[in-house]
Amino acid sequence: QLQLVESGGGSVQAGGSLRLSCAASGLTDDYNYMGWFRQAPGKEREPLAVIYTGDGATKYAESVKGRFTVSQDNAKNTVYLQMTSLKPEDTAMYYCAAADYGLILDPNEYYYWGQGTQVTVSS
């Protein structure tokens, strides 16, 4: 099994920054693709970014490319999502998830999910 715990969410004004963390424990060697997703009320779960922990390769959704950066600290079994230039439309519950398939932004390919951390951006 794999356990994922997100942290770092909170409230921030538009234009501000936040860094989200996702700590993994359990069978971490079997799931080397770590994705970030978000879901706002009444909306579908939206992929944001994914990182391959083997070499640090990344892929981003166009909606956040240039503003969000995903990174890793393999010694801590932790991945991060650095968010800058935040906008009110970024307000959502943010989730991390683990997969073993590839560097893709498809939530259906992710097997384990964290509990989420709330991000609220005010104007």
Side-chain angles (χ1 to χ4, degrees), residues 29-112:
D29 289 343
D30 294 336
Y31 299 91
N32 296 322
Y33 300 87
M34 300 297 297
W36 284 99
F37 303 81
R38 69 185 180 190
Q39 188 167 22
K43 295 185 178 180
E44 297 291 321
R45 185 159 295 187
E46 177 188 6
L48 302 173
V50 59
I51 185 169
Y52 175 50
T53 61
D55 62 9
T58 59
K59 185 178 181 180
Y60 294 90
E62 291 298 323
S63 61
V64 300
K65 196 172 186 178
R67 296 192 299 123
F68 291 9
T69 302
V70 63
S71 61
Q72 64 179 350
D73 185 342
N74 285 343
K76 297 181 178 179
N77 288 327
T78 300
V79 297
Y80 305 93
L81 185 67
Q82 179 67 48
M83 306 185 294
T84 62
S85 300
L86 285 165
K87 307 172 183 179
E89 53 262 43
D90 293 320
T91 296
M93 185 72 74
Y94 284 69
Y95 301 88
C96 67
D100 62 358
Y101 179 76
L103 200 68
I104 58 175
L105 289 168
D106 182 355
N108 294 321
E109 297 296 332
Y110 289 79
Y111 304 109
Y112 294 95

